[in-house]
Amino acid sequence: MNTRLGVLLPTNHSQWNDARRLVDFGVRAERLGYDSVWVNDTLLGARVEPLAMLAALSPMTERVTLGTAALLPAFRRPIMAAQELASIDHLSGGRLVVTVGAGFPGRSEVEYALSEVPWERRFGRLDDTVALWRALWAGERAFHGKTLRFDELPESTPSYRPGGPPIWLGGGSESALGRTGRLYDGWMPYPPDPADYRAGLQTVRRTAREAGRSAGAITPALFLTVLVTDDAERGGRELDAYCRTTYGLPYERVRKIQAMVAGSAEQVVATLTRYAEAGTEHVVCRIAAPDLDTQLDQLEMIAGIVRP
C-alpha cells in the first residue's frame, strides 16, 4: 500500500503531563517512518495551541510534513494568522500543510461566540480568509472579498514557497466538495463508508475540471480514528470512552459520522486498504488512546503494520 501515513499529536491536556514530550512524540513518528505529523484545533478543552505546537516541531524534525487537521481560522485574526503560518512555513523549510474547517454544528457555535465571529456565513468567511492569506503571501496590498475587505494591507511575511503552503479543506458536505474542487489544494474528510469517500472524491475532481483546474492538483486525504487491539470487546469500550471524552457522545453515534476502526492489525490494514482503493493518498491516524504512553505504544504498532 503506497498511501502516505500521518499521525495526529495528542495535544489535549488530559493526554499528557509534560507538553515537551509531544515534541518527542513527533520526532519518534518521523523516525518510525510516518510521512506527516498533525495537530487539531478547538477552544473547548485545555490543549497545546496548534500553531505553537508546529513551531516547536519545525526545528526538531527534518522530513515529515507538518499539518493542521483541522485549523479553524475563525478563532484568529486573519492577518496575524497569515503571518504565523508563513513563519511556520519558513521554520519548517516548506513542510507545512494547512487543513482548514468551519467548525462542527452543535459544538462550534460557542467557539465562534468566544471569538466574536458570527456563525452565519461561516463558509464564505473561511474561503475569504484563505484567499486573503494567499494575497498577503503574494505581497498584495489590498483585498476585496465577499465578507473580508481591506483597502490597505501591510507588508506581510512572505511564505517560504511561492503561492504559500498547500491549503486543504476538511468536510464532506455537498458544499465542501464543490468548494474543494474550485478553491483548495487538498481534501481531508472522515466518512465512515469508503464508498462515500469514493463518491465524494469523484465530485471533487469533477468540480475541479469544471473550474478549469487539474483534478490531480487536489490531494485526497482521510482523517481516521484508529485503535489496534486483539480484544474487540475491549476496543469497543475504549473507543466509547474516547468518544465520550472528546465529544461527549457515545461511540455508536460518532461511528455513524466519522471513520473509525478498532481491531486487530489485519482489520486495521483492511480498513486502510479499502480507503486507499477508494482513492485516498494520505491517511492521518488519530489514535484513540487516553494517555501519551499508550499513544506511543500504538504509534509503534501502527507503524509496524503499515510500514513494516
Side-chain angles (χ1 to χ4, degrees):
M1 184 170 58
N2 295 322
T3 304
R4 290 168 60 83
L5 180 66
V7 65
L8 185 76
L9 278 173
T11 57
N12 191 303
H13 191 203
S14 66
Q15 296 172 300
W16 51 265
N17 56 16
D18 183 347
R20 292 169 295 184
R21 291 187 66 200
L22 294 172
V23 175
D24 297 335
F25 187 103
V27 171
R28 180 64 179 156
E30 181 172 71
R31 291 175 179 169
L32 286 169
Y34 283 81
D35 299 293
S36 57
V37 176
W38 303 77
V39 289
N40 62 6
D41 191 19
T42 180
L43 299 181
L44 305 179
R47 67 183 57 237
V48 176
E49 197 279 330
L51 300 186
M53 188 74 249
L54 294 183
L57 278 170
S58 293
M60 302 301 294
T61 54
E62 299 178 354
R63 175 187 54 81
V64 287
T65 293
L66 301 176
T68 60
L71 188 77
L72 280 77
F75 300 170
R76 297 163 179 84
R77 299 298 184 187
I79 293 175
M80 177 58 77
Q83 186 179 46
E84 291 172 331
L85 292 167
S87 299
I88 295 169
D89 200 31
H90 281 279
L91 290 168
S92 66
R95 290 183 287 128
L96 178 65
V97 170
V98 186
T99 304
V100 297
F104 194 83
R107 176 178 172 84
S108 296
E109 291 90 339
V110 65
E111 297 175 292
Y112 272 70
L114 290 168
S115 304
E116 299 181 323
V117 175
W119 178 249
E120 296 74 17
R121 301 182 67 189
R122 60 192 179 278
F123 300 116
R125 186 179 186 89
L126 174 64
D127 295 342
D128 261 13
T129 299
V130 169
L132 171 63
W133 290 347
R134 288 170 170 161
L136 286 164
W137 295 332
E140 297 179 20
R141 304 305 290 268
F143 178 82
H144 299 99
K146 294 181 179 179
T147 62
L148 299 177
R149 300 180 65 85
F150 298 94
D151 293 329
E152 296 184 13
L153 289 172
E155 182 179 1
S156 184
T157 306
S159 55
Y160 180 87
R161 288 163 288 182
I167 302 183
W168 300 358
L169 185 65
S173 67
E174 284 299 316
S175 170
L177 299 178
R179 289 161 50 238
T180 299
R182 293 190 303 271
L183 303 171
Y184 289 85
D185 305 307
W187 181 52
M188 187 189 290
Y190 44 62
D193 188 338
D196 291 336
Y197 186 95
R198 184 190 303 274
L201 182 56
Q202 290 173 347
T203 299
V204 167
R205 288 174 169 167
R206 184 184 69 248
T207 305
R209 289 191 295 267
E210 292 170 352
R213 304 180 67 201
S214 166
I218 301 166
T219 301
L222 173 74
F223 188 86
L224 176 68
T225 300
V226 178
L227 184 68
V228 182
T229 176
D230 288 325
D231 187 334
E233 184 176 342
R234 178 185 173 188
R237 290 196 306 269
E238 292 184 358
L239 269 185
D240 185 68
Y242 186 83
C243 290
R244 291 178 186 275
T245 299
T246 304
Y247 299 110
L249 297 171
Y251 168 52
E252 287 303 319
R253 183 171 173 185
V254 178
R255 69 185 297 188
K256 296 177 182 178
I257 303 170
Q258 295 188 5
M260 311 184 87
V261 55
S264 65
E266 292 76 15
Q267 289 173 305
V268 171
V269 169
T271 298
L272 291 171
T273 299
R274 286 195 292 271
Y275 280 102
E277 291 171 346
T280 188
E281 297 175 3
H282 200 140
V283 176
V284 176
C285 295
R286 177 176 62 175
I287 300 172
D291 58 75
L292 196 55
D293 290 330
T294 310
Q295 288 261 341
L296 283 165
D297 291 341
Q298 289 279 318
L299 184 75
E300 296 204 13
M301 282 191 282
I302 293 168
I305 62 178
V306 180
R307 294 279 188 269

